[in-house]
Amino acid sequence: MTEISSQCYDGNLLLDNDEQPFTFDKVVPAWVRIQILDATDLKPVTKGEPGILAYYDLANWDTCLAILTEDLAVETDVGFQLIGRVSGTAARGCSIAVDELMKSQALGERS
């Protein structure tokens, strides 16, 4: 999401103990809030239910404060987990080229 000023990173980067379980939970900075919304009516869902990720970033003080993404996510106790894209939406983001490269490599190995 290049439209935002603040990034969310896997909680693993914050772990200082090797005995802690590995997690893909994204941790948000203190000035960021997220909401997971129902795809049909855009009302907040209960924690643990999948929905569309809404992202509120106070660091975007000079542009847009809130972004309704097309990413599906689930809120967790420490942040959120991305689970994919809303069905029918176009792929977007920095990793598209890497995803395409990996897919072409996998297809090449099968030939």
Side-chain angles (χ1 to χ4, degrees), residues 5-45:
S5 296
S6 305
Q7 301 296 314
C8 300
Y9 296 99
D10 286 350
N12 300 310
L13 296 174
L14 302 175
L15 297 177
D16 59 356
N17 184 345
D18 290 335
E19 296 175 19
Q20 301 236 357
F22 190 74
T23 177
F24 289 104
D25 291 12
K26 306 293 184 207
V27 179
V28 298
W31 56 90
V32 170
R33 297 292 180 267
I34 57 112
Q35 251 187 332
I36 309 299
L37 307 173
D38 184 277
T40 57
D41 59 13
L42 297 181
K43 291 183 180 176
V45 299

Side-chain angles (χ1 to χ4, degrees), residues 14-107:
L14 302 175
L15 297 177
D16 59 356
N17 184 345
D18 290 335
E19 296 175 19
Q20 301 236 357
F22 190 74
T23 177
F24 289 104
D25 291 12
K26 306 293 184 207
V27 179
V28 298
W31 56 90
V32 170
R33 297 292 180 267
I34 57 112
Q35 251 187 332
I36 309 299
L37 307 173
D38 184 277
T40 57
D41 59 13
L42 297 181
K43 291 183 180 176
V45 299
T46 307
K47 187 191 301 187
E49 290 184 36
I52 298 173
L53 176 66
Y55 193 87
Y56 306 90
D57 186 356
L58 292 178
N60 281 4
W61 64 272
D62 62 341
T63 61
C64 62
L65 178 67
I67 297 171
L68 180 61
T69 72
E70 293 176 329
D71 295 320
L72 292 174
V74 175
E75 185 176 359
T76 66
D77 289 334
V78 297
F80 65 96
Q81 285 186 0
L82 290 173
I83 56 174
R85 299 276 294 159
V86 173
S87 179
T89 58
R92 300 177 75 173
C94 311
S95 64
I96 291 175
V98 173
D99 291 342
E100 289 175 356
L101 177 64
M102 291 174 65
K103 183 189 265 185
S104 70
Q105 293 293 324
L107 291 174

